[in-house]
Amino acid sequence: MENETPLDMQHMLEQTLSSDLCYLMAVSYIVLANNQVTNRYIEREYDMPVHAWSALYAIVTYPGLRAKDIQHLFPRPQNTISRVVALLERRGLVHQIVSDQDGRAKSLLPTSAGITLLNEIKEKALERQDEMFGVLNDEERRTFLNLCRKIAAGQRLCHSEAMRTS
Amino acid sequence: MENETPLDMQHMLEQTLSSDLCYLMAVSYIVLANNQVTNRYIEREYDMPVHAWSALYAIVTYPGLRAKDIQHLFPRPQNTISRVVALLERRGLVHQIVSDQDGRAKSLLPTSAGITLLNEIKEKALERQDEMFGVLNDEERRTFLNLCRKIAAGQRLCHSEAMRTS
DNA sequence: GCAAAATACATCCATATGGATCAGAAATTC
DNA sequence: GAATTTCTGATCCATATGGATGTATTTTGC
């Protein structure tokens, strides 16, 4: 077991998190690992894609927003959001009303069932968050969040120059 | 334009990054936003799913590893990795040799074409990384990376108690 | 005030994804 | 040393995904 590969799998991750691309790799690792856990859980327990609960979260938290607005919170392609909103409506979790200001737009509002379900999922998400970030103390958490906020506020995060697809 | 929604879309993100779930939301936002940019770029320029380059990265960096090992670096379902490795082989970027120690396992080795391609992509990824993390100064970056390392090292990241699917 | 451009959302279609299963090989058990 | 279990990787199939396009509405430009 110890002599074919000169690789120590235990240290492969640590090495990668010290390489040129350490920042990208670190964030990527955390999120891929979390997705494996969270996506599976939401899909099993609630029989919906993870992004359905993201959309539900947005609609419950900011009732009246348009599908378009959800993209500001959860950057996903437009059609993905369109579909999960349709799913949420089929399940009676939200309803859409055509905006009187703009006949193209639809205001999204949660039903009480939607609010109830979101609270249930949110509780689980909070537990999960505590689990993931439990390794950090309070100050470290604050620091981490502030750095994330800075990164999120960066203009180039959503509009890349390096990877422009022209 | 200003009177139907009481929502200021500019501040919706900031509010969300101050809510109960701020930590999860923050990381999620950064990664979704980056994925939109990076996935599209890799798919357009190289006509392969993003995870193909992750696998290529792993194989070039740690030649001789098994498909299984890639999962330690890039936590994805096993069949996803199996497929992208098959893709990389079809394209002549890697080749697999059955391990002489273990007839089930295959050692993965990059071809020179694979190494060349990876270097090309890595260069772009570095540019992208600079773009994303350019909003942080050197010390902030170090801090951010250390906190990511701690989170990544957490036992519960990959093996959740809160969201166990059993 | 009317044609052209832009915008919001839905739908189409080809591809990606992931859980489940399968095949083959090794390790373990008795 | 045969049977059982465990492990690695491939494949199947139903569903998710996202770019492109379509439809309806609003905004812009002249």
Side-chain angles (χ1 to χ4, degrees), chain B residues 10-136:
Chain B
Q10 302 295 87
H11 296 140
M12 209 168 56
L13 180 60
E14 294 167 33
Q15 283 177 42
T16 302
L17 300 192
S18 305
S19 69
D20 283 355
L21 289 173
C22 56
Y23 305 106
L24 279 181
M25 291 295 168
V27 176
S28 157
Y29 179 81
I30 292 170
V31 168
L32 287 178
N34 180 48
N35 280 354
Q36 296 240 102
V37 168
T38 303
N39 294 13
R40 182 182 307 210
Y41 183 82
I42 298 291
E43 271 153 35
R44 282 221 177 164
E45 297 296 313
Y46 301 103
D47 187 36
M48 55 170 70
V50 206
H51 299 299
W53 102 259
S54 309
L56 184 59
Y57 176 92
I59 295 166
V60 170
T61 311
Y62 306 101
L65 49 44
R66 302 162 304 157
K68 184 86 205 302
D69 303 322
I70 297 179
Q71 289 185 286
H72 291 303
L73 270 189
F74 300 99
R76 305 286 311 163
Q78 176 265 321
N79 58 359
T80 297
I81 293 178
S82 178
R83 260 173 316 195
V84 298
V85 168
L87 172 74
L88 294 173
E89 192 174 37
R90 275 202 306 282
R91 302 247 175 116
L93 299 169
V94 307
H95 57 274
Q96 327 189 32
I97 51 175
V98 176
S99 165
D100 44 345
Q101 260 93 353
D102 185 337
R104 298 166 300 181
K106 296 178 179 177
S107 282
L108 301 170
L109 295 165
T111 64
S112 62
I115 295 172
T116 304
L117 180 63
L118 181 77
N119 283 332
E120 189 185 323
I121 300 183
K122 240 168 101 172
E123 216 167 295
K124 270 290 169 191
L126 261 172
E127 281 182 54
R128 176 59 181 155
Q129 180 176 258
D130 289 344
E131 213 175 44
M132 279 180 67
F133 296 92
V135 290
L136 305 185

Side-chain angles (χ1 to χ4, degrees), chain A residues 58-117:
Chain A
I59 295 167
V60 171
T61 311
Y62 306 101
L65 50 43
R66 301 163 303 158
K68 184 83 205 302
D69 303 321
I70 298 179
Q71 287 185 286
H72 292 302
L73 270 189
F74 300 100
R76 305 287 310 164
Q78 176 264 321
N79 59 359
T80 296
I81 293 178
S82 178
R83 259 174 316 197
V84 297
V85 168
L87 171 74
L88 294 174
E89 192 174 37
R90 274 201 306 281
R91 302 243 176 118
L93 299 169
V94 306
H95 57 275
Q96 326 189 30
I97 52 174
V98 175
S99 165
D100 44 346
Q101 259 93 353
D102 185 338
R104 297 165 301 181
K106 296 176 179 180
S107 281
L108 302 171
L109 295 165
T111 65
S112 63
I115 295 172
T116 303
L117 180 62

Side-chain angles (χ1 to χ4, degrees), chain A residues 143-162:
Chain A
T143 305
F144 183 74
L145 185 62
N146 280 330
L147 295 174
C148 283
R149 281 211 191 95
K150 276 199 185 185
I151 296 166
Q155 289 308 306
R156 289 273 166 268
L157 178 62
C158 293
H159 308 286
S160 175
E161 199 66 43

